[in-house]
């Protein structure tokens, strides 16, 4: 038992030396994750801070001007240009100079006062339906507010319902808050899975793997000796990203650090288990790399990182059962932002344990029993 | 000979490289050379002599730092493309496209050289005839054996008639049969008027060339007709008989360590010795007893060793220190293989092979490429399950045996598998700990082996940057840290130069005297002479087993009274193949 | 003299043909090429088409009916009838909070006790609470909730005959009337496929030749560096076009995405981007000469930016100015704009010409650089 433990420590020591020896490879383990976290933290956002728009005011009344100043007073809507007719707006939208064209129809003031159809037309560029959806939402809210104000000023009765809204866990609804915690799992998975798979494949290619098998190591010891260093690297990387999230982006941490750490450790075990499994399928580094790539892609897409898993077709939702990243994103978001407790996260954690419990022994067995 | 008639004229060519560590390596230190056209010229020399660099310079792939180099009358530094249009070059590792078939590889090079269809109709049958690859036209190059790959590489360079052919160690890792076939092709080409420059570490190959250029450390040491060079060893060569009970390799090791002896190798149960001087040889003596010696004619190898001994002789002594000269074989069987079979699909890689190895024996597994040597080896080491049959290494099957059983064996793989990024010290520490050495015993063991293998000065160098010979030393040192009882060596001398091979075998001899059982595979047939017993495998079958002398006797014919080990080997394999063919027909 | 020049050119063409043929055979026989060139694009088409859906439907929402009046039930029914929500009525706020915390509901709609009374007074409130952990879903749900209440209020106002003070907002989504995110994701996918084939695969196979030493013998033939590069690019160029055809056909047949612009222009600009990607792949491989490093670098400088910084999913207009400027370095940015315009908007020359010009410039610069970097030299 002790001998076995010492052998495992030997393997871990060797593996860490190989990984950390070269300053370039040392840097490549920490810098890219932080860099990716920063870039994606800023880039991966659905929020719109400004909406460039074109105004077509066909009414030219005091009320229409009031509406416009309400729009622009929000600080979000920036008028690019004012047009005399809708026809001119086409080019602006086509060339993406503006996101929206707001058309205040003729007779707006009169209809508003007279109880008729006071119409505002909002035309959005749907090439990116997400951006346009957000911009339309802003416009709708402001115009509804304006109508409510107008009515109360006029002392009009009738059903006026005010929707007060609150967002828990992310009051300003910033995409960044959603994205960065998810990136902890995404980035570390990319790195650790590759690292694990490639390190085994490199040993196979260079023949040192045979050397390990001939030495008194058991496959389980080799497996642990490969998994633990990747685990350490993964822990360092996820901590680095966590620090960026906490102190650079200043996203408040709502949950317990212990729960998050446990969740991430289990996730790393599952991801590394997958990496080991892929490496036992590959006979050289090229194959290992391509296998990782082929698996990482759907893992990332079907994880909830970009769109909720619940929105996916049922068949694909079943396929996400084996996706460690799905559980990691659920754990990081819920623990980090919502402050979910350990008991609530148990189903996700058990799933990760199950993934690791299958992939790790299978890959250890494959080390020795792989054909050729 | 005027310059325009020369195939290659080098004037004070220099080239240095910078290692990753910042160390500057002088690959060529002012080489001046003229190679005539229409001749077969050999470049010989130990590792790092600069042979490959010279060939790469000549083919325009590397630019010299200074000096001028004309190839077929063209300044290759200024007009590399013009030279490349006219010459052919076969690098050490010929880059065949492994996904492409034999025919497709050949077509590619024919297309690149612009060989018209009419010419191909004439050239292809000739190439296929020469290389005997005709049967494998459709086979992907990746599925060919090492020898066939080399032959295909050669064929690719010969799709058109070049004005000069450069071959860089074309026979490394190639078995004796394929080697002989390759050389037959080359000789035929030279006979047809082609100029060929070939670099090689096989000295028997150089002996058969018209001219030989001996290089060392980026300089030219000697140049001339091989027989002229050979003549320099006249009167220095003897065959010495070992005293009773002493294996030839032990005597070889003892003699090799003596200061007045330039070279010693076992040969046919005796030891071939080259003395440093031919002047009035005193009788051979060992431990006060005189030895029976017979003067013999020198070979090229003898002269080569004599020349190198003069400049680098003292490097070698350490590997042969402490050899007593006793045989230590006892009757206990430590490795037993019975009816071993390994199938890969329908293909039988190992076909009912049986043999036994006794404690302290040096046992050789010989055979052409694809004979099943490596497969047998992998099964012995527990890296591959057997299809049927039984294997016992120190009484256990290593595939299922625990850590304890594997603790007793050492393994040096074909590629000297080390962690290239780790330093020499780190590699040794890892392997020592892997075998359970700790604390002071580990430190002492590492220190001892580093001294023994002269690795001290490289302690901090990443092992990937070690010179070739030292990689092999480190691999052997790593395998010996835990003092194994049984040592497996898989083609541990492939690509090593003659000097490195002698040092290697000196160490093996020392180990076997201490009772270590050594099992080796090798491509160098003369190395079989170091073994107590050898087994020859071909197509997975056991063709012959016995002492080197027994094996030689197999091949003795009326015509050829004293065949070399290589000739014996070829004779045995060919006889079996003929038999199989008749049986099949 | 001129016949000799012609002969030389013919010989060069033959060599290029031979290299292209060799590359194509390798491409077809190497499982890893097939994995990256064919399997991955297909998988991505399916995953992006069906898996990634940025549109929110059936948001599970807990409706807390603290008021049991007819008016309150009427408001609640606005949520129950909406496609965007799947409403779950609960009695107490505590129960609803519990559902939100345990992720069984993504939003809470609370209709307070005095809703009906306040409604008569003209100042009724409906409280909407969303789970901001997924900010995008939260924001969209919030918008839908406001819309649903607004529509209900307008209807009620019309019914009660009170006049005035109602603004109808007619929103129109040009180019994507159905508001379907597939419409912009699937065409954008072409940028990923092209990047994979053009940059990643080319960098890998080129680095492989350096690594395996296959160039050493090839260099000592009449072939020159330019011919070697051309032999490499042509097959992958064609494979890239096959990928394009796959994506266009897939987006049209599987997902019904319209192609409003001209197929010819789409092909031309895709060719331009493919050349840029190939150029990047060649430059990276000749700079690294190592498959692993080449793949890492390609991933970092081509693939990830194509995914994150191109406007394929995340609109650069949402990014901070500094990041927006960075996005202009990456060719994918220009190509995505072209793709979204050509698919959904049509042949808008004022978009096509400048973006295509940038791509053409990048292609020329990168290909020239790759020719310059590829020397017939080793080590």
């Amino acid at each position: 038992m002790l001998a076995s433990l010492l052998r495992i420590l030997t393997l871990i020591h060797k593996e860490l030396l190989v990984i950390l020896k070269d300053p370039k490879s040392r840097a490549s383990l920490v810098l890219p994750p932080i860099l990716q976290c920063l870039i994606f933290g800023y880039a991966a956002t659905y929020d719109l801070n400004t909406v460039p728009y074109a105004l077509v005011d066909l009414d030219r009344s005091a009320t229409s001007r009031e509406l416009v100043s309400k729009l622009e007073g929000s600080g979000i809507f920036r008028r690019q240009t004012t047009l005399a007719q809708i026809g001119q707006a086409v080019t602006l939208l086509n060339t993406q100079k503006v996101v929206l064209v707001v058309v205040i129809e003729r007779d707006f003031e009169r209809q508003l006062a007279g109880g008729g159809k006071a119409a505002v037309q909002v035309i959005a560029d749907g090439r990116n339906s997400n951006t346009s959806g957000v911009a339309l939402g802003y416009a709708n809210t402001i115009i509804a507010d304006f109508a409510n104000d107008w009515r109360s000023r006029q002392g009009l009765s009738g059903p006026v319902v005010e929707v007060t809204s609150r967002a828990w866990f992310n009051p300003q609804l910033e995409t960044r808050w959603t994205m960065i915690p998810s990136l902890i799992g995404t980035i570390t998975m990319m790195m650790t899975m590759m690292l694990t798979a490639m390190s085994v494949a490199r040993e196979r290619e260079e023949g040192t793997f045979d050397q390990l098998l001939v030495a008194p190591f058991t496959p389980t010891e080799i497996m642990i000796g490969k998994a633990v260093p990747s685990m350490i690297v993964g822990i360092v990387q996820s901590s680095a990203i966590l620090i960026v999230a906490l102190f650079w982006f200043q996203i408040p941490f709502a949950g317990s650090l212990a729960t998050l750490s446990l969740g991430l450790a289990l996730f790393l075990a599952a991801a590394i288990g997958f990496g080991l499994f892929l490496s036992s399928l590959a006979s050289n580094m090229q194959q290992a790399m391509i296998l990782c790539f082929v698996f990482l892609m759907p893992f990332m897409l079907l994880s909830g990182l970009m769109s909720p898993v619940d929105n996916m077709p049922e068949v694909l939702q079943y396929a996400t059962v084996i996706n460690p990243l799905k559980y990691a994103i659920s754990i990081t978001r819920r623990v980090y932002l919502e402050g979910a407790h350990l008991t609530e996260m148990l189903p996700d954690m058990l799933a990760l344990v199950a993934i690791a419990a299958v992939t790790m022994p299978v890959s250890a067995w494959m080390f020795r029993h792989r054909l050729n | 000979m005027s310059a325009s008639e020369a195939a290659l004229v080098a004037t004070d060519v220099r080239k240095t490289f910078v290692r990753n560590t910042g160390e500057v390596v002088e690959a060529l230190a002012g080489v001046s050379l003229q190679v005539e056209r229409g001749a077969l010229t050999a470049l010989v020399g130990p590792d790092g002599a600069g042979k490959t660099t010279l060939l790469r310079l000549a083919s325009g792939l590397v630019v010299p730092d200074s000096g001028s180099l004309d190839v077929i009358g063209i300044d290759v530094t200024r007009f590399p493309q013009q030279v490349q249009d006219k010459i052919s070059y076969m690098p050490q590792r010929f880059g065949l496209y492994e996904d492409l078939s034999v025919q497709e590889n050949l077509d590619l090079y024919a297309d690149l050289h612009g060989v018209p269809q009419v010419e191909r109709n004439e050239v292809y049958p000739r190439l296929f005839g020469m290389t005997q690859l005709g049967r494998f036209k459709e086979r992907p190059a990746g599925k060919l054996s090492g020898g066939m790959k080399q032959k295909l590489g050669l064929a690719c360079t010969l799709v058109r008639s070049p004005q000069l052919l450069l071959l860089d160690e074309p026979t490394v890792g190639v078995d004796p049969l394929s080697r002989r076939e390759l050389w037959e092709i080359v000789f035929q080409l030279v006979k047809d008027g082609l100029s060929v420059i070939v670099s090689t570490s096989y000295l028997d190959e150089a002996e058969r060339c018209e001219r030989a250029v001996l290089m060392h450390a980026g300089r030219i040491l000697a140049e001339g007709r091989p027989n002229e060079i050979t003549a320099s060893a006249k009167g220095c060569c003897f065959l010495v008989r070992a005293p009773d009970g002493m294996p030839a390799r032990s005597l070889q090791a003892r003699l090799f360590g003596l200061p007045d002896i330039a070279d010693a190798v076992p040969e046919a149960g005796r030891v071939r010795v080259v003395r440093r001087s031919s002047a009035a040889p005193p009788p051979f003596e060992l431990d006060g007893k005189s030895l029976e010696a017979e003067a013999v004619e020198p070979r090229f190898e003898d002269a080569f060793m004599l020349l190198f001994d003069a400049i680098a002789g003292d490097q070698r002594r350490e590997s042969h220190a402490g050899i007593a000269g006793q045989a230590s074989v006892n009757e206990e069987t430590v490795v037993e293989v019975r009816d071993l079979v390994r199938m890969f699909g329908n293909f039988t890689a190992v076909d009912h092979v049986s043999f036994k190895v006794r404690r302290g024996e040096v046992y050789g597994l010989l055979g052409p490429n694809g004979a099943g040597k490596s497969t047998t080896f992998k099964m012995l080491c527990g890296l591959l399950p057997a299809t049927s049959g039984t294997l016992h290494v120190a009484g256990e099957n290593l595939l299922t045996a625990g850590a304890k059983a594997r603790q007793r064996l050492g393994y040096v793989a074909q590629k000297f598998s080390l962690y290239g990024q780790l330093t020499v010290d780190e590699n040794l520490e890892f392997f020592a700990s892997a075998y359970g050495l700790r604390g002071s015993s580990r430190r002492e063991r590492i220190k001892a082996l580093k001294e023994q293998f002269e690795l001290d000065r490289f302690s901090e160098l990443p092992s990937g940057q070690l010179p070739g010979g030292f990689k092999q030393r480190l691999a052997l040192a790593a395998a010996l840290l835990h003092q194994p009882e049984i040592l497996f060596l898989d083609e541990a001398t492939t690509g090593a130069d003659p000097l490195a091979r002698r040092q290697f075998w000196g160490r093996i001899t020392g180990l076997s005297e201490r009772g270590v059982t050594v099992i080796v595979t090798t491509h160098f047939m003369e190395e079989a002479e170091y073994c107590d017993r050898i087994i020859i495998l071909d197509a997975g079958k056991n063709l012959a087993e016995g002492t080197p002398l027994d094996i030689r006797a197999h091949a003795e014919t009326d015509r050829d009274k004293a065949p070399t080990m290589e000739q014996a080997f070829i004779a045995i394999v060919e006889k079996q193949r003929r038999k199989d063919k008749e049986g099949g027909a | 003299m001129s016949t000799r020049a012609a002969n030389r050119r013919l010989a060069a063409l033959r060599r290029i043909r031979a290299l292209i043929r060799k590359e194509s055979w390798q491409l077809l026989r190497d499982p890893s090429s097939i994995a990256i060139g064919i399997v991955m694009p297909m998988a991505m088409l399916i995953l992006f088409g069906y898996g990634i859906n940025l549109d929110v439907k059936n948001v599970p929402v807990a409706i807390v009916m603290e008021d049991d009046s007819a008016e309150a039930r009427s408001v609640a029914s606005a949520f129950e009838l909406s496609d965007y929500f799947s409403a779950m009525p609960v009695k107490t706020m505590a129960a609803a909070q519990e559902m939100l915390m345990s992720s069984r509901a993504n939003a809470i709609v609370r209709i307070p006790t005095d809703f009906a009374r306040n409604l008569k007074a003209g100042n009724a409130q409906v409280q909407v609470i969303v789970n901001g952990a997924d900010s995008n879903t939260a924001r969209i749900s919030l918008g839908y909730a406001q819309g649903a209440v607004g529509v209900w209020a307008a209807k009620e106002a019309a019914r009660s005959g009170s006049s005035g003070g109602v603004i109808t907002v007619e929103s129109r989504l040009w180019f994507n009337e159905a508001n379907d995110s597939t419409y912009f994701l699937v065409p954008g996918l072409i940028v990923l496929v092209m990047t994979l084939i053009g940059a990643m695969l080319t960098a890998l196979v080129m680095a492989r030749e350096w690594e395996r030493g296959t160039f050493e013998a090839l260099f000592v033939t009449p072939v020159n560096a330019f011919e070697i590069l051309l032999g490499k690019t042509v097959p992958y160029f064609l494979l890239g076009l096959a990928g394009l055809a796959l994506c266009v056909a897939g987006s049209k047949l599987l997902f019904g995405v319209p192609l409003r612009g001209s197929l010819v222009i789409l092909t031309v600009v895709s060719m331009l981007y493919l050349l840029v990607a190939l150029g990047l792949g060649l430059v990276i491989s000749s700079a690294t000469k190592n498959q692993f490093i080449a793949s890492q670098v390609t991933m970092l400088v081509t693939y990830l930016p194509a995914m994150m910084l191109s406007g394929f999913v995340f609109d650069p207009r949402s990014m901070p100015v500094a990041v927006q400027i960075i996005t202009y370095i990456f060719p994918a940015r220009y190509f995505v704009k072209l793709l979204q315009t050509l698919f959904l908007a049509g042949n808008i020359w004022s978009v096509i010409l400048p973006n295509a010009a940038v791509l053409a410039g990048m292609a020329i610069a990168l290909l020239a650089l790759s020719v310059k970097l590829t020397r017939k030299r080793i080590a």
Side-chain angles (χ1 to χ4, degrees), chain A residues 288-308:
Chain A
M289 192 165 65
I290 283 160
L291 274 172
C292 277
F293 204 68
V294 166
F295 272 81
L296 275 171
M297 186 59 50
F299 277 177
M300 280 167 68
L301 293 180
L302 299 178
S303 63
L305 175 71
M306 287 197 271
S307 77

Side-chain angles (χ1 to χ4, degrees), chain A residues 47 121-122 124 127 131 286, chain C residues 139 172 174 184 208 315 318:
Chain A
D47 314 334
Q121 209 186 137
V122 184
R127 270 170 283 185
T131 306
Q286 194 201 347
Chain C
R139 186 176 319 103
R172 283 172 51 195
W174 275 18
F184 80 92
R208 183 156 67 206
D315 197 327
S318 307

Side-chain angles (χ1 to χ4, degrees), chain A residues 47 95-96 112 115 118 120-122 124 126-127 131 162 164 166 168-169 173 178 198 286 290 297 311-313 334, chain C residues 32 50-51 55 101 124 126 128 130 132-133 135 139 164-165 168 170 172 174 184 208 292 303 315 318 341 350:
Chain A
D47 314 334
T95 55
Q96 301 194 317
L112 189 66
V120 176
Q121 209 186 137
V122 184
R127 270 170 283 185
T131 306
E162 192 191 345
T164 56
R166 265 204 299 153
W168 282 7
F169 317 127
L173 286 180
T178 307
M198 296 298 277
Q286 194 201 347
I290 283 160
M297 186 59 50
N311 275 5
M312 294 168 192
R334 294 195 56 200
Chain C
S32 61
Y50 292 113
D55 315 319
M101 292 299 292
V126 171
V128 180
V130 288
S135 61
R139 186 176 319 103
T168 48
E170 293 170 32
R172 283 172 51 195
W174 275 18
F184 80 92
R208 183 156 67 206
F292 181 63
Y303 192 77
D315 197 327
S318 307
T341 300
S350 51

Side-chain angles (χ1 to χ4, degrees), chain B residues 191-418:
Chain B
K191 213 192 251 170
D192 297 346
L194 184 63
S195 318
V196 180
I197 302 178
V198 57
S199 83
T200 179
S201 55
Y202 286 91
L203 297 168
D204 61 323
E205 292 178 350
E207 191 165 14
R208 290 146 77 190
C209 295
E210 282 154 73
R211 293 192 77 80
V213 178
L214 270 62
M215 296 183 69
H216 177 76
R219 290 190 175 78
I220 289 175
L221 214 60
E223 190 197 342
R225 299 194 161 277
N227 53 14
E228 294 164 15
I229 295 171
T230 306
S232 65
K234 211 161 175 57
C236 301
C237 306
F238 300 88
L239 271 179
V240 180
R241 189 177 296 282
D244 283 343
M246 180 189 272
R249 63 166 181 273
S250 295
L251 176 63
Q252 178 268 340
R254 303 254 337 238
L255 292 174
F256 194 59
L258 297 177
D260 66 324
I261 283 172
D263 186 30
V265 284
E267 187 176 309
R270 289 190 282 177
V271 178
R272 187 183 187 96
V273 176
V274 182
R275 300 189 113 148
R276 279 192 169 163
S277 146
S278 58
F284 283 94
E285 260 185 25
L286 196 71
D287 303 332
K289 278 179 272 178
S290 77
L291 298 167
E292 181 194 330
E294 175 194 342
V296 286
E297 280 300 300
R299 295 175 311 190
F300 183 73
E301 182 164 349
D302 299 329
F304 175 91
M305 292 304 293
L306 194 61
L307 266 167
F308 281 96
D309 181 63
I311 45 168
D314 297 323
Q315 279 179 19
R316 60 177 162 88
R317 307 290 173 195
E318 110 300 329
S319 54
H320 292 76
I323 286 164
Q326 297 121 17
S328 58
V329 180
N330 66 28
E331 287 310 303
E332 185 196 349
T333 300
V334 284
V335 175
E336 185 172 7
V337 172
R338 214 179 310 139
D339 258 344
L340 186 66
V341 178
R342 174 69 210 195
M343 314 273 297
F344 290 107
N346 287 328
F347 171 70
T348 313
V350 177
D351 193 356
H352 298 278
V353 168
S354 307
F355 60 86
K356 281 183 190 172
V357 183
R358 286 170 307 204
R359 182 173 299 284
E361 238 182 340
V362 177
Y363 192 84
L365 259 66
L366 274 61
N369 296 116
K373 302 186 301 283
S374 286
T375 311
T376 307
F377 233 67
K378 285 214 154 108
M379 287 190 280
L380 278 173
C381 296
L383 293 171
L384 192 71
T387 306
S388 71
T390 53
L391 288 149
H392 288 291
V393 175
E396 297 203 56
N397 181 351
L398 287 176
L399 189 70
T400 51
K404 247 204 184 114
R406 283 205 295 274
Q407 182 81 39
R408 298 162 71 177
L409 70 106
Y411 171 63
V412 176
Q414 248 181 57
K415 293 185 291 182
F416 316 137
S417 305
L418 301 160

Side-chain angles (χ1 to χ4, degrees), chain A residues 254-276:
Chain A
S256 117
L257 197 58
T259 310
L260 186 67
S261 308
L262 176 66
L264 283 175
L266 293 176
F267 159 67
L268 284 171
I272 290 164
F274 247 105
L276 284 169

